[in-house]
Amino acid sequence: MAVSVAVNTNDGLRYNGKVTWLVALSCVIAATGGLLFGYDTGVTGGVTSMEPFLKKFFPGVYIQMKEDTKLSNYCKFDSQLLTSFASSLYLTSLIASFVAASMTRDYGRKPSMIIGGVAFLIGATLGGAAQNIYVLTIGRLLLGVGIGFANQSVPLYLSEMAPSKFRGAFNYGFQFCVSAGGLVATLVNYGTEKIKGDWGWRISLATAALPALVLVVGALFLPETPNSLIQQGRDHEKAKRLLQKIRGTDDVEEEFDDLVTASKASKSIKHPFKKILQRKYRPHLVMSVAIPFFQQVSGINVITFYAPILFMTIGSGVSASLLSSVFLGIVGTSMTFMSSLMVDKLGRRILFFIGGISMFITQMMIGGIMAAKLGDHGALSEGYSFLVVILICIYTAAFAFSWGPLAWLVASEISPLEIRSAAQSVNVAVGFFSSALISQTFLAMLCHFKYATFFLFGTWVAFMTAFVYFLLPETKNVPIEKMNIIWRKHSFWKKFISDGKEYKDNRIHEPFLSSHG
């Protein structure tokens, strides 16, 4: 059965097909891989603000928080051990993403999703049952393996399964699940924080097993993408029948021919990580590094991850800070959904600009208020505390509307098939490395730079918005296997792209080229 929505790209470039229920259901199931990353980010920030958890695993931080009245507001949670607990997941995810790249390329997107779900399931179980810091750390490392595999495979799966005209909306499912996972985590934390003893944080950590179970069970029933089947050298007729099924039409010759052409180019590449360093892939490599790096230096992970701690820094209690984090989760999830309705109509660039400008203004205002009104001791007044919470919500909304989902979408759609897994692996690895670096240093930065930390992040937001304006072309409505045309027409990147012989079968009408230059 198919939903009657025709998929015809503009300007003379047309693929036949409809948005079928198979595509919709497959993408919904695959997108749940985002729940893993979102839930872990949300739950860890809340758990590390719970007194029973700190008493058991980080007693030094608990003593600082409760007993050291001379310590600056900005330095109460400055602990390398605590930040190492947070950042260890990202380092493991970084390493796992490179392993997942080979797995995804050689065996398909589906096995990588299953491996990621199983590793995360085991890690969540160990975390909830941990009696000492060693078991807690092992569980955390396994969570990192799960996220590394899931973040490598899920965005690729979504981009390849979705029709080009609706690729943005379908790919947004991943970020929507990241936001939803964070929201669920903050709701769980808000409920369990009131439970006496160790049961509160144990329930919070162990509940992470539920989204992992959903991903594992759901992935078992997913079809592999036609792109992946052809890339692996499977029966082309089988891949064609699958393509006909997911597009809801028998007339898929043009799209199928493009997949075969892209696969031939892919099979000629024996070492994709070496290949991506070649000059003609320079724009893909730069974007695979710059976009995830900019996403992290925007400051979003420290605001979402450490939101409860940040709210406690400005004077909120544990329950109030967790409740504020719940509100942030609701705002983020809502804005991601709203953005998904616009991304394939307005395009990627305009959403980047709207989000970037809003994020810059709010970061600067937060830094200004904390500089003027929050000293080393005491707390913000109720009015200013409320204003900071509102500004953080606006910042979160702007990120969820733009850089949150767009970073995953653009990075997964811009590269040709022969380097796509390698480029996605670089994208994921850079994202995790940047997350680990910032997570490890944020509390120390907050202690030493104080309010200037927010000015620093705001400066990065201004720079990355300018980067998008000058160097990122629009990818709206461009079929994924014809994406190279936008780089050949870009005023800066065209000098790096070869004469296009390897894309001679990708015949594009001149009006299309002009409209995406």
Side-chain angles (χ1 to χ4, degrees), residues 360-411:
F360 172 78
I361 293 173
T362 51
Q363 287 275 31
M364 291 301 180
M365 290 184 67
I366 292 169
I369 292 172
M370 295 182 75
K373 299 298 179 179
L374 179 65
D376 285 333
H377 304 284
L380 287 177
S381 67
E382 184 176 342
Y384 279 110
S385 294
F386 181 75
L387 179 57
V388 169
V389 170
I390 293 300
L391 288 172
I392 290 177
C393 284
I394 295 172
Y395 168 86
T396 303
F399 179 87
F401 185 77
S402 58
W403 277 89
L406 287 174
W408 293 106
L409 167 61
V410 173

Side-chain angles (χ1 to χ4, degrees), residues 280-301:
K280 66 180 179 180
Y281 298 119
R282 193 63 47 79
H284 313 91
L285 178 61
V286 169
M287 294 300 163
S288 294
V289 172
I291 289 176
F293 174 75
F294 288 146
Q295 186 190 45
Q296 299 308 317
V297 296
S298 69
I300 185 60
N301 265 7

Side-chain angles (χ1 to χ4, degrees), residues 101 104-105 109 152 155-157 159-161 167 225-228 231 258-259 262-263 266 269 272-273 276 281 284 288 410-428 479-484 503:
T104 303
R105 172 187 169 93
R109 287 54 168 151
Q152 164 71 21
L156 288 184
Y157 186 92
S159 288
E160 292 177 347
M161 286 291 283
R167 187 175 59 246
T225 70
N227 313 57
S228 182
Q231 185 181 35
D258 286 340
L259 295 184
S263 178
S266 174
I269 309 301
F273 284 104
I276 200 175
Y281 298 119
H284 313 91
S288 294
V410 173
S412 68
E413 70 180 357
I414 59 174
S415 297
L417 185 61
E418 64 266 24
I419 61 163
R420 190 171 299 151
S421 289
Q424 179 68 4
S425 184
V426 171
N427 170 52
V428 173
I480 194 169
E481 302 303 352
K482 293 183 181 289
M483 196 64 69
N484 203 57
Y503 298 95

Side-chain angles (χ1 to χ4, degrees), residues 342-362:
M342 302 180 183
V343 65
D344 290 315
K345 296 179 181 178
L346 300 180
R348 284 63 162 151
R349 283 166 55 86
I350 187 66
L351 299 190
F352 271 126
F353 299 149
I354 293 172
I357 293 171
S358 302
M359 290 159 65
F360 172 78
I361 293 173
T362 51

